[in-house]
Amino acid sequence: LVVACAKSCKINVIPGDARCRNVFGGNAVKKVSLTRHFSLVSFIFILLAGLWLSWLMRDLAVNQVKSAAEDGNVYAAHVFSNAVGADLRELVKLAAGVAAGNEPGRPLLSQLRKSAAVLMADTHVFKIRVYDTRGIARFSSDDGQVDVDKSGDVGFQAARGGQVASVLGDRNRIDGVEGASGAKDVVFSHVPLHDSGSVVGVVEVYQDVSALHARVMGALNIHVIWLAVGLLLLYLLLLA
């Protein structure tokens, strides 16, 4: 710009020359440099803001899926324990003095599996396990999945202390997830089993949340696209 104007004025100057400053009333080169610097910094800050907001929205969406599934798992655990409460508590009491590798109350196990199958029918819940207070699985809705030791599991320890603990993850990365072959995303929860106000065991509930997760992530992607469009328009307005 400076050189072009200088040529139009038929004077021989170079950018930054004192005569240029006299002609244009300031240093035009520095103004151009500041404009470019401002646009670059603005772009970086808007990009970082967009990435942070996208991460925040995804985190909120995942927590929403986890929270909804956890509520469903707690409800399923309570329905199961209420429906077969007497048999379930009896099984846990029988298991209190039995070492791992032995199945106490075989008739009870068979009856509990039938009851669990009825309760899980037409729902997204595909597995229920019950642990004694030592962390040993004493009941599973699937055959041959008892005696699993989860005494060192953080979720089990939280439930034994009276709290509900849940995990959302890919079924291929979660140990011990069999069944529900179509499930991709799974939420499993540890729910305390109470008797007379005391925790006598832990109910572990597995739920297939693939469809719910896909719907929430689809809605999230649309929101992220609109966020990107809005930030792009903001950037263009700053340059205008």
Side-chain angles (χ1 to χ4, degrees), residues 115-130:
S115 300
V118 172
L119 291 172
M120 293 188 300
D122 300 322
T123 72
H124 293 294
V125 175
F126 63 89
K127 181 189 291 187
I128 296 176
R129 279 181 181 165
V130 179

Side-chain angles (χ1 to χ4, degrees), residues 159-170:
R160 189 175 57 183
Q163 303 296 319
V164 176
S166 299
V167 174
L168 167 64
D170 189 321

Side-chain angles (χ1 to χ4, degrees), residues 136 191 196:
I136 300 173
V191 184
S196 302

Side-chain angles (χ1 to χ4, degrees), residues 198-217:
S198 301
V199 177
V200 296
V202 172
V203 181
E204 185 180 61
V205 182
Y206 289 80
Q207 182 180 166
D208 175 14
V209 295
S210 302
L212 175 62
H213 189 263
R215 288 197 303 270
V216 172
M217 289 300 106

Side-chain angles (χ1 to χ4, degrees), residues 57 61 213-226:
M57 291 167 64
H213 189 263
R215 288 197 303 270
V216 172
M217 289 300 106
L220 172 64
N221 290 336
I222 294 174
H223 283 86
V224 169
I225 291 173
W226 280 112

Side-chain angles (χ1 to χ4, degrees), residues 3-193:
V3 175
C5 291
K7 286 182 178 179
S8 65
C9 295
K10 296 183 179 179
I11 56 177
N12 254 337
V13 295
I14 59 173
D17 190 282
R19 288 173 294 175
C20 260
R21 290 194 293 270
N22 292 335
V23 171
F24 297 107
N27 196 328
V29 174
K30 286 187 178 180
K31 290 182 180 179
V32 173
S33 178
L34 287 174
T35 301
R36 289 177 179 174
H37 181 70
F38 173 75
S39 64
L40 178 61
V41 171
S42 300
F43 175 78
I44 292 174
F45 272 99
I46 290 176
L47 179 62
L48 291 175
L51 292 174
W52 179 77
L53 287 173
S54 298
W55 174 83
L56 180 62
M57 291 167 64
R58 186 184 185 284
D59 188 61
L60 290 173
V62 169
N63 285 334
Q64 182 182 9
V65 172
K66 181 180 174 181
S67 177
E70 182 180 273
D71 290 342
N73 287 348
V74 171
Y75 178 77
H78 288 167
V79 169
F80 179 66
S81 61
N82 289 336
V84 295
D87 292 341
L88 196 58
R89 283 185 281 272
E90 183 180 351
L91 176 67
V92 173
K93 289 177 181 177
L94 287 173
V98 177
N102 298 315
E103 290 187 2
R106 285 181 178 274
L108 283 177
L109 286 174
S110 179
Q111 181 59 40
L112 286 171
R113 286 193 180 105
K114 291 178 182 178
S115 300
V118 172
L119 291 172
M120 293 188 300
D122 300 322
T123 72
H124 293 294
V125 175
F126 63 89
K127 181 189 291 187
I128 296 176
R129 279 181 181 165
V130 179
Y131 298 84
D132 62 20
T133 53
R134 293 176 297 173
I136 300 173
R138 295 305 186 178
F139 166 78
S140 176
S141 56
D142 293 342
D143 292 334
Q145 293 191 18
V146 293
D147 292 332
V148 176
D149 188 348
K150 277 203 170 182
S151 56
D153 185 82
V154 175
F156 168 79
Q157 293 174 357
R160 189 175 57 183
Q163 303 296 319
V164 176
S166 299
V167 174
L168 167 64
D170 189 321
R171 70 182 302 274
N172 296 320
R173 299 181 181 179
I174 299 175
D175 294 335
V177 180
E178 294 84 13
S181 57
K184 179 182 178 183
D185 300 297
V186 174
V187 170
F188 68 96
S189 305
H190 292 91
V191 184
L193 176 65

